[in-house]
Amino acid sequence: MSRKDHRFTESPVLKDQLASWRIHFVSALIFGALLALVGRAFYLQVIHEDFLQERGDARYRRVLEIPASRGKILDRHGDMLAQSTPMRAVWATADAKLDKEQLKALGDLLEMDPRLIEKKLTGDKNFVYLKHQVSPDAAARIAALKLPGIQMDREYSRFYPAGEMVAHMVGFTGKDDRGQEGVELAFESRLIGANGERTVIKDRRGQIVEEVGSERPPQDGEDIQLAIDSKIQFIAFNALRNAADKFNAKGGSVIVADIKTGEILALANWPTYNPNNRSQLSGGQLRNRAVTDSFEPGSTMKPFVAALALDRGKYKFDSIINCAPGKMTIGSATISDAHPHGALTLAQVIQKSSNIGATKIALGFPSEDMWTMFSKLGFGKPVGLGFPGEVGGRLRPWQTWKPIEQATMSYGHGISVTVVQLAHAYTAFARDGDVVPLSLVKTNGAVAGQPVFAPETSRQVRQMLEMVVSPEGTANKAAVPGYRVGGKTGTAHKLVGGRYANKYLASFVGIGPISDPRLVVGVVVDEPVGGHYGGDVAGPVFSEVMGGALRTLGVPQDKEIAPAVVKTASAVASQPVANTAALAKKKGGH
C-alpha cells in the first residue's frame, strides 16, 4: 500500500474509541424495550385477556335472544281464547344494497311499497326493522331470495279466536307481546314466560357463520284456564247486544256467576271491539264497564234492607207497612212512589218496589247498622278480581249520613256500585246468607263464603224475589220458562254534571233456580231509548241469559211450562231521586 492510500486509515476520527458507558446505555435501552414488549404481551395475553376477548367478541360474537311463547288463555272446557302464533320480524343491516328487482320482490312479499323499503335502507343506521309480524310462509320465501343484509328473527303474534265476544275479559297484548288490558294484563307475570338465548359468530354483514357456546332454551309462559264458559258467554253477549240495538242504548254489561264456586261463567260488555284488529279502536270501547263503571243501583238495593229487617227480627215476611199516600217528607225533601200504594206487606214492598216502604224500614235502624251490612256485602270496595281499573264504587262513612240520605240509600240513590258488586252481593240470597268470593279463573270446587244474613232470612228474601217476576210484580218479563227464578229491578236517573238528568240506567239482578240456586245473573243497560224501566229493558235480557245458562249447565227444570202466557198490565214500582230536596221531586221506574 502506498503512503498516499495509507493516510485514510490513519484518520484521527477512526482512531477515537467509543466511550464504554455509551455502549452500556444503548444496550440497556434495547433490553428495556424488549422487556416492555414482553411485559405488555404478558399483560394483554395473560392478565388482561378477558378485555381483549370481550373486544373481539363484540365485533363477531352475538348473544341472540330466543323469545318464549306466551301462555295460552283457555275457557273452562279448554277452548282457546288467546294463543301466540310464531311469526318473523324482518330487518336489514347496513350491507343491504338491493337493486330494483330485489326491492320489488321483497316489497311484494312484505306487502310494502319498494320505495319505502329503499328509503329505510338508505338511512344512516346500521340496523333497521323493515316489518314485524311476517307470516312464516312469506318469511321462507324471503329467505329463499338470499338478499344481502336481510335478516329475520322469530317473534309471536297473539290471536283471539273468540274475537269481540270476550274482548273485555281476555284483553290483548301490544307489539312487544306484553299484556295491555284484561286477563292479558292481570296475569302478565304468569303468561309472559322467560326468553332463552344462543351464542353465535356473525360476519361483518351480519350473517351467522357459526353456532358457539351453549344454548339456553326458552321457558314458555303458563297457560291460564278461566272460569268462563264460552257457550254461556255467547248467550250473554248476544242477549246484551240485541237489547242495546233494540233500545239504542249507550252501553251495558252482563255477568253470570256460579254461586257454588264463585266462578264467573260469563262477563259481557257493549260496545266491544275486535282484539285481532284494533286499528279503528276508540278509548270508550276498551272500557270493561262491568268492573270500571259505577252507577246508582236504584231499587236493586231494596232486598238488602228487607233482609236486614228480617235478620234483626223487626219485621216478618207478612208484616204490614203503610205506604199511603205514596209520598213522604223528610226535612225539606219529599220521597214518592211512581204509583201510590196503601198497606203492603214486607214482601209486597219488594214485589211492588215501594220507595216509601223501603224508606220506613231503613229509618228504623241506626245508620251504622245499614253501613255495616252494605260493607259486609262488599259495597264500597273492589271485589278483587284483579282486573285493571277495577273500582269499588262509593259508600260514604255512616257518621256523615243524614236521615234523607239513609232513606234514599234504601232504594239505591246516594250509593254507587258496579254490576259485578251487585252480583257478588246477591250471592248472599242464593247461598243462604253468605257472600262467596268471585273468581276469574277456574276453581276446584265449592268455596267458603262470608256470612252476612241468617239462612232463613235469605230463604224468605228469595221468595220475595220470586214474587217480583210474577204477573203482579215489576218484572214479569224476567220470568224463565221451565224454571223458578227471582230477582229485582232497578231504574235510576243518571247523574250528569252533578245533577240528575233525563237519562236512565235500567238494571236487573236475579237468582235461579229458586228451589236450588245455581246462578246469579246481573244485567245493566246504560241510557236506553224507547223504554227505561228495569223490568222492561233489563228483565228480558236476564230471562234469556238465565234460561240459556241453566240449560247449558244441564240444571233440571223446577217449574212446569204454562200452555199459554197471559198478558198482564205493567206492574208498578217507584224510583224517585236522590238525597237532596231539589231532586226528591223526580220520579223513576222499577
Side-chain angles (χ1 to χ4, degrees), residues 262-393:
E263 295 171 314
I264 296 179
L265 303 182
L267 186 67
N269 291 280
W270 186 265
T272 186
Y273 62 94
N274 184 354
N276 296 303
N277 180 16
R278 303 188 299 277
S279 58
Q280 303 297 322
L281 189 61
S282 64
Q285 292 171 285
L286 285 176
R287 201 167 71 245
N288 188 347
R289 294 168 177 265
V291 298
T292 65
D293 287 17
S294 60
F295 56 92
E296 291 192 336
S299 297
T300 55
M301 298 297 288
K302 290 174 182 174
F304 300 117
V305 177
L308 180 63
L310 290 169
D311 221 42
R312 297 299 174 86
K314 285 196 173 185
Y315 290 83
K316 295 182 178 180
F317 187 87
D318 55 358
S319 295
I320 300 297
I321 302 170
N322 184 13
C323 300
K327 291 185 178 182
M328 182 177 179
T329 300
I330 301 176
S332 60
T334 300
I335 293 173
S336 61
D337 284 333
H339 295 272
H341 301 287
L344 297 176
T345 64
L346 178 62
Q348 288 175 324
V349 167
I350 303 304
Q351 181 187 36
K352 303 297 184 181
S353 197
S354 169
N355 292 338
I356 302 300
T359 295
K360 288 188 173 182
I361 297 169
L363 292 179
F365 293 95
S367 56
E368 184 178 3
D369 288 0
M370 272 185 63
W371 182 92
T372 300
M373 174 191 64
F374 286 154
S375 182
K376 286 183 176 180
L377 290 166
F379 297 121
K381 51 184 176 290
V383 173
L385 297 178
F387 263 123
E390 183 180 358
V391 300

Side-chain angles (χ1 to χ4, degrees), residues 65 97 125 135 198 256 263 276 306 332 380-381 462 568:
E65 191 173 69
K97 308 298 182 183
K125 296 181 179 179
S135 69
R198 63 188 178 117
V256 180
E263 295 171 314
N276 296 303
S332 60
K381 51 184 176 290
R462 282 205 296 271
T568 62

Side-chain angles (χ1 to χ4, degrees), residues 33-49 52:
L34 290 174
L35 284 178
L37 290 174
V38 171
R40 180 63 176 172
F42 180 81
Y43 174 77
L44 293 176
Q45 297 183 38
V46 178
I47 297 177
H48 208 46
E49 178 187 15
L52 290 179

Side-chain angles (χ1 to χ4, degrees), residues 20-91:
S20 62
W21 68 268
R22 294 177 67 182
I23 296 174
H24 295 310
F25 177 74
V26 172
S27 299
L29 286 178
I30 295 173
F31 185 72
L34 290 174
L35 284 178
L37 290 174
V38 171
R40 180 63 176 172
F42 180 81
Y43 174 77
L44 293 176
Q45 297 183 38
V46 178
I47 297 177
H48 208 46
E49 178 187 15
D50 292 343
F51 172 77
L52 290 179
Q53 188 68 43
E54 180 182 341
R55 299 299 295 175
D57 289 346
R59 288 178 169 83
Y60 303 107
R61 186 186 295 261
R62 295 288 186 272
V63 177
L64 301 182
E65 191 173 69
I66 306 175
S69 177
R70 191 175 178 86
K72 303 180 185 69
I73 300 178
L74 313 168
D75 84 340
R76 66 183 304 102
H77 301 299
D79 292 336
M80 194 69 64
L81 299 178
Q83 63 180 338
S84 292
T85 304
M87 303 291 276
R88 294 291 186 272
V90 180
W91 52 278

Side-chain angles (χ1 to χ4, degrees), residues 75-77 165 227-238 254-257 265-268 519 521 545-546 548-553:
D75 84 340
R76 66 183 304 102
H77 301 299
M165 186 179 74
I228 185 176
D229 186 310
S230 292
K231 294 179 180 178
I232 297 177
Q233 178 72 17
F234 174 79
I235 294 169
F237 176 78
N238 196 52
V254 173
I255 179 175
V256 180
L265 303 182
L267 186 67
L519 301 177
V521 173
V545 174
M546 178 63 82
L550 291 175
R551 288 188 290 271
T552 299
L553 296 174

Side-chain angles (χ1 to χ4, degrees), residues 6 81 116 119 216 264 336 361 391 434 442 505:
H6 184 71
L81 299 178
L116 177 59
K119 183 178 178 180
R216 187 184 69 185
I264 296 179
S336 61
I361 297 169
V391 300
D434 61 321
K442 188 176 181 181
L505 195 143

Side-chain angles (χ1 to χ4, degrees), residues 114-126:
R115 292 172 295 182
L116 177 59
I117 298 177
E118 185 177 21
K119 183 178 178 180
K120 288 188 174 186
L121 296 180
T122 54
D124 57 357
K125 296 181 179 179
N126 294 325

